[in-house]
Amino acid sequence: MAEPTRRGVEIEIQTDTHPVEKHIDPKYNWNEWQIRQEAVRLADLKTKKTHSAQTVDSNFRRESETQHYAPKDAAVQRGIAASTNVETQKRYITGMRGGPDAKLTVHNITLDL
């Protein structure tokens, strides 16, 4: 019995010198004065009070007022066909096709549509 031959494969792997951290906090602040300022702001928020009746009941009422359109009156203006429509004038030229002795004539037509 012959032994199976082993084949070797050469692989190169390179590790990053400075890997990028995936858990970077965007709100992190190292400046002590800004941290104190944020603490004072948060402490000041504790003294503020919001009435739930004001925010729940009046929040959507404000939006509906800006988007409301009152219905129009029942009376509407209607056009009268005889006085509001403008007459259409057309000009036709006849006699352009034919023999050399054909006479050109111009016809003016007024259409009341």
Side-chain angles (χ1 to χ4, degrees), residues 32-102:
E32 184 178 347
W33 290 106
Q34 287 181 352
I35 294 171
R36 288 183 184 196
Q37 183 181 15
E38 182 69 15
V40 169
R41 187 185 68 81
L42 291 175
D44 187 40
L45 281 178
K46 283 185 155 185
T47 62
K48 306 300 180 196
K49 185 177 179 182
T50 301
H51 301 284
S52 62
Q54 177 187 357
T55 57
V56 172
D57 293 338
S58 65
N59 187 24
F60 295 109
R61 189 182 317 133
R62 180 185 59 84
E63 292 297 324
S64 64
E65 288 176 1
T66 58
Q67 296 179 359
H68 175 70
Y69 294 100
K72 294 183 179 180
D73 295 334
V76 240
Q77 293 182 351
R78 303 209 184 258
I80 301 172
S83 62
T84 58
N85 291 341
V86 180
E87 297 176 345
T88 305
Q89 295 185 356
K90 297 287 183 179
R91 181 179 293 179
Y92 291 101
I93 302 173
T94 58
M96 295 178 73
R97 294 185 183 187
D101 57 341

Side-chain angles (χ1 to χ4, degrees), residues 2-38:
E3 282 190 33
T5 59
R6 294 185 181 188
R7 292 185 177 181
V9 179
E10 292 188 14
I11 300 174
E12 292 184 16
I13 298 175
Q14 183 174 358
T15 308
D16 292 339
T17 308
H18 302 289
V20 179
E21 296 287 337
K22 297 286 185 190
H23 57 277
I24 297 175
D25 186 10
K27 295 180 182 179
Y28 175 75
N29 195 353
W30 60 270
N31 190 345
E32 184 178 347
W33 290 106
Q34 287 181 352
I35 294 171
R36 288 183 184 196
Q37 183 181 15
E38 182 69 15

